[in-house]
Amino acid sequence: MQNPFITTFSKNPDISYVYTEKTDEILNNFSYEKPSESVYKITGVRGSGKTVILAKIEEAIRSEEMKKKGWLVFDVNPTRDLLHQIASMLVNEGFGKSRTKNKNIDISEGSAFFDIGVEIEEMLKLVQKKNKKIFIGIDEVTKTKEMVQFASEFGKWLRADYPVYLVCTGLYENIMEVSNVKNLTFFRRAVTVQTEKLNEVRMAGMYSRLLSIEMEEARKMAKITKGYAYAFQELGSLYFNKKKEETLDDLIPALKTELFAYSYEKIWEELTEGDRSMVKLLTLKTEYKRDEVLKLMGERKGNYSMYRDRLLKRGLLESWQAYISFSLPFFADYINEYC
């Protein structure tokens, strides 16, 4: 049997996919004739399933049912020129063919009078006339010249009421950088959806079914992952490949190595010095009360709320009542051992 668990970032784990409500939250909006929301920003820590949510949404909108409702899906690469990609896709869908034959559109920008924004708007008028809808998906948004140009044009399309819809993913700090660009008010105000922990019951059920193990063992595994999507896939893969004499406890060192090397190291690099100083204080216990953290921070306690809120939005902390703790499994161990 092939290993059903996927440990490669940005790859859709079809067989071992654990359902989350976040996907339905967005799809329900797009199921209406005229969706109330046009833009969604999906944020979360690395490995928390942002790309998977986007992939599942695109998969659903590509269904025959949604095609009959006029939906077209444009999966755009953020590292290339976004506007030219969209223009090419519109042409391929037939909205620029007649214009292309007359040589009035040339997406190579060979003409000195060429304006990609104007050309796309002309094609979007045809999209609207034919009662079609364009869904644009962008994975891992960052603040680049191309992204800012695209967002500026997209804002114009929204004001003109063209049937265009955008779902993008990105780390919290990257999404915020784009949101704070002048004149991109629509992007700043767009709905932000933060990835959620995988449900422990669903994870245990998936482990039990795919690995043919007792539910008690499966529940232990689910608890170890703390609902972190990457840890769920990695532990499942390690268990699938384990030797007969190995126990679940024997797999923990290998799990930590994978998490540390392929996720936590990058997460740590992307933290500010202030964020790092905050998380370093939270490594001796599994949870902390607010007053305990303020005491540990000393003269810097006035910055507590700022750091706490930012780390919550980054997906590194979770909170309940007056307590906070790390949301990622073994993250405190990584800090103690390597930072």
Side-chain angles (χ1 to χ4, degrees):
M1 177 183 173
Q2 184 179 0
N3 188 342
F5 294 94
I6 301 295
T7 59
T8 303
F9 278 87
S10 298
K11 194 167 183 180
N12 190 0
D14 285 328
I15 298 175
S16 54
Y17 169 67
V18 176
Y19 163 85
T20 71
E21 282 77 11
K22 297 298 184 182
T23 307
D24 282 348
E25 180 181 326
I26 298 173
L27 282 174
N28 285 340
N29 172 64
F30 292 138
S31 67
Y32 294 105
E33 181 63 28
K34 194 166 179 64
S36 58
E37 300 295 342
S38 297
V39 182
Y40 286 92
K41 303 173 292 187
I42 304 173
T43 70
V45 71
R46 289 183 181 276
S48 62
K50 302 183 295 297
T51 300
V52 174
I53 292 175
L54 177 59
K56 289 298 178 182
I57 293 168
E58 290 181 343
E59 182 182 298
I61 295 180
R62 284 192 175 101
S63 68
E64 288 302 317
E65 180 185 355
M66 295 298 274
K67 282 181 182 178
K68 290 176 183 177
K69 293 182 178 180
W71 283 95
L72 299 170
V73 177
F74 291 178
D75 190 10
V76 181
N77 184 340
T79 65
R80 293 166 46 211
D81 191 311
L82 285 82
L83 292 175
H84 273 71
Q85 290 179 71
I86 292 168
S88 297
M89 291 172 183
L90 285 167
V91 169
N92 289 340
E93 291 292 343
F95 297 107
K97 286 184 179 178
S98 61
R99 294 167 58 77
T100 305
K101 288 177 182 176
N102 295 327
K103 297 184 179 179
N104 288 329
I105 178 170
D106 175 10
I107 59 174
S108 67
E109 280 192 86
S111 169
F113 302 103
F114 179 85
D115 188 314
I116 190 69
V118 171
E119 296 294 349
I120 291 176
E121 282 204 59
E122 289 300 313
M123 288 189 278
L124 289 178
K125 289 176 184 177
L126 292 177
V127 171
Q128 192 172 47
K129 187 176 181 180
K130 293 185 178 182
N131 294 316
K132 298 291 186 179
K133 300 184 184 76
I134 305 296
F135 174 95
I136 300 172
I138 307 177
D139 192 25
E140 292 300 339
V141 163
T142 56
K143 183 187 171 185
T144 61
K145 180 184 73 174
E146 291 79 11
M147 182 62 201
V148 172
Q149 287 175 341
F150 160 76
S152 298
E153 291 294 332
F154 192 91
K156 287 170 58 181
W157 304 340
L158 289 181
R159 292 192 294 275
D161 202 29
Y162 295 131
V164 289
Y165 303 88
L166 170 66
V167 176
C168 61
T169 75
L171 299 176
Y172 168 73
E173 56 270 27
N174 292 339
I175 290 286
M176 286 304 298
E177 271 198 316
V178 179
S179 299
N180 290 330
V181 172
K182 187 178 179 181
N183 298 327
L184 294 187
T185 306
F186 85 91
F187 194 81
R188 183 162 54 253
R189 293 179 179 174
V191 177
T192 299
V193 175
Q194 188 166 15
T195 52
E196 61 189 350
K197 283 188 167 191
L198 299 183
N199 181 276
E200 193 169 304
V201 174
R202 290 176 180 148
M203 285 191 294
M206 188 70 74
Y207 278 147
S208 178
R209 180 171 64 84
L210 295 180
L211 297 171
S212 300
I213 59 176
E214 295 295 327
M215 187 56 72
E216 182 180 356
E217 180 88 337
R219 282 195 290 266
K220 288 180 183 177
M221 293 176 65
K223 196 172 186 65
I224 287 170
T225 70
K226 297 186 72 172
Y228 180 40
Y230 180 52
F232 166 74
Q233 296 290 339
E234 190 61 57
L235 183 57
S237 180
L238 289 169
Y239 201 99
F240 180 86
N241 291 314
K242 80 177 183 68
K243 299 173 184 176
K244 286 186 178 180
E245 66 272 15
E246 286 184 309
T247 67
L248 177 57
D249 288 340
D250 293 329
L251 302 179
I252 300 304
L255 174 63
K256 291 169 70 172
T257 296
E258 296 301 312
L259 292 175
F260 293 0
Y262 296 106
S263 181
Y264 297 174
E265 183 176 24
K266 189 65 176 175
I267 289 172
W268 179 260
E269 287 176 1
E270 293 164 343
L271 293 178
T272 66
E273 285 302 318
D275 292 335
R276 290 177 183 178
S277 64
M278 171 79 166
V279 298
K280 282 180 179 179
L281 300 175
L282 309 177
T283 61
L284 298 180
K285 300 197 305 178
T286 57
E287 60 187 34
Y288 287 82
K289 283 186 177 181
R290 178 179 181 276
D291 291 343
E292 290 179 298
V293 182
L294 290 176
K295 186 176 180 180
L296 290 171
M297 292 184 73
E299 294 180 356
R300 295 173 296 163
K301 64 182 179 181
N303 295 323
Y304 169 77
S305 295
M306 178 185 69
Y307 290 136
R308 172 188 173 276
D309 291 348
R310 191 159 62 200
L311 291 168
L312 284 170
K313 290 174 180 175
R314 283 177 179 265
L316 290 178
L317 292 183
E318 57 186 346
S319 68
W320 64 100
Q321 297 178 352
Y323 290 90
I324 60 172
S325 66
F326 289 124
S327 60
L328 304 178
F330 310 114
F331 192 62
D333 291 349
Y334 171 76
I335 295 171
N336 286 330
E337 293 175 25
Y338 292 97
C339 304

